[in-house]
């Protein structure tokens, strides 16, 4: 069992009796000791769901073990946080030694991402900006998707002025957080309503003589807003300017 001598060696005693006579005797003394330690098969700090193997030293058939987990093997597997201790006994000498090691298990975090849009109903050609907000993303990266296809760049925002009606935008975030429950998270999907532009038409009875009525007409819309020379404005679809003047030309 490879005993270690501590304070061992040869001791000598001189004995004197009541007559003043002496005699000497020497003995050899051996003090056994054992030093326990724990080695780990990997990091002792890890994410929830992981584990680490702890091995008591010294190891071998000549030793017995008693862990704080009530296990009696040289090696155990730790899956929860706490201080793990072991008492190692040298079976040949009965000497014991205790060692301990802390284990830390980090809880998992759930990465989340959501997006919002500057507007969900726009006219054709209008710009829409989408913005992502992440939770437990660490320093996240983003992959935007338009109708399931990758678009944009690695950014928390994405803008598009060429969307079609019923286009769907979402984003996939990749997290760098410690101990995520999943490496990526997918946002809510936003469907954009794109309204078509009207086809405007405009006509008049031009040319007209001064003093006669100038008739204007428009089509293609639901409402109208006219402007023209000499401060002319009108919200009528087909307005008339009576008594036309040369300054009405343009």
């Amino acid at each position: 069992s490879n005993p270690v001598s501590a304070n061992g060696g040869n001791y000598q005693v001189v004995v004197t009796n009541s007559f003043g006579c002496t005699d000497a005797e020497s003995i050899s003394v051996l003090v056994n000791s054992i030093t326990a330690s724990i080695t780990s098969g990997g990091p002792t700090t890890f994410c929830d769901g992981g584990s680490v193997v702890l091995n008591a030293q010294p190891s071998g058939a000549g030793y017995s073990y008693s862990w704080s987990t009530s296990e009696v093997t040289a090696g155990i597997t730790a899956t929860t946080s706490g201080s793990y201790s072991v008492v190692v006994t040298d079976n040949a000498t009965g000497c014991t030694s205790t060692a301990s090691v802390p284990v830390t298990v980090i809880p998992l975090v759930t990465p989340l991402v959501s997006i919002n849009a500057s507007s969900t109903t726009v006219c054709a050609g209008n710009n829409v900006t989408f913005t992502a907000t992440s939770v437990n993303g660490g320093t996240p990266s983003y992959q935007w998707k338009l109708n399931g296809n990758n678009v944009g760049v690695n950014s928390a925002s994405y803008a598009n002025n060429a969307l079609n009606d019923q286009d769907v935008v979402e984003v996939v975030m990749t997290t760098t957080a410690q101990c995520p429950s999943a490496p990526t998270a997918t946002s809510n999907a936003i469907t954009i309503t794109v309204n078509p532009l009207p086809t405007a038409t405009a006509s008049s009875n031009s040319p007209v003589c001064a003093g006669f009525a100038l008739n204007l007409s428009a089509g293609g819309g639901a409402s109208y807003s006219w402007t023209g020379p000499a401060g002319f404005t009108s919200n009528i679809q087909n307005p008339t300017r009576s008594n036309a003047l040369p300054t009405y030309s343009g």
Side-chain angles (χ1 to χ4, degrees), residues 8-249:
N10 293 320
Y11 288 76
Q12 185 180 52
V13 62
V14 176
V15 179
T16 303
N17 63 15
S18 59
F19 302 108
C21 301
T22 63
D23 189 22
E25 182 67 17
S26 63
I27 58 174
S28 178
V29 173
L30 178 64
V31 178
N32 293 302
S33 68
I34 179 176
T35 300
S37 64
I38 298 174
T39 60
S40 66
T44 54
T45 297
F46 50 86
C47 299
D48 191 14
S51 64
V52 64
V53 174
L54 304 177
N55 294 297
Q57 303 294 333
S59 61
Y63 299 93
S64 58
Y65 309 91
S66 178
W67 288 87
S68 53
T69 59
S70 299
E71 294 167 277
V72 294
T73 54
I76 65 170
T77 299
T79 59
T80 60
S81 294
S83 177
Y84 290 77
S85 61
V86 63
V87 177
V88 181
T89 301
D90 184 333
N91 296 330
T93 65
C95 296
T96 63
S97 180
T98 301
S100 64
V101 64
V103 170
T104 301
V105 178
I106 303 171
L108 299 181
V109 297
T110 301
L112 300 170
V113 62
S114 61
I115 62 173
N116 59 63
S118 57
S119 180
T120 57
T121 300
V122 296
C123 295
N126 285 8
N127 188 69
V128 180
T129 298
F130 302 86
T131 304
T133 301
S134 65
V135 176
N136 295 324
T139 303
S141 59
Y142 299 95
Q143 178 58 69
W144 291 90
K145 290 183 177 291
L146 175 61
N147 301 324
N149 300 312
N150 293 342
V151 292
V153 296
N154 177 17
S155 173
S157 63
Y158 165 67
N160 193 327
N161 63 358
L163 294 170
N164 296 312
D165 189 38
Q166 300 305 301
D167 274 350
V168 178
V169 175
E170 59 188 349
V171 73
V172 176
M173 178 199 70
T174 300
T175 180
T176 61
Q178 187 179 34
C179 297
S181 58
T184 62
T186 301
S187 74
N188 54 302
I190 295 180
T191 301
I192 301 298
T193 299
V194 180
N195 294 317
L197 300 179
T199 301
T201 62
S203 63
S204 74
N205 62 339
S206 172
V208 298
C209 296
F212 284 80
L214 173 62
N215 299 319
L216 304 173
S217 62
S223 63
Y224 302 85
S225 178
W226 286 89
T227 60
F232 174 73
T233 61
S234 177
N235 292 323
I236 300 173
Q237 179 179 359
N238 302 311
T240 297
R241 300 192 75 178
S242 59
N243 300 316
L245 297 174
T247 55
Y248 292 0
S249 298

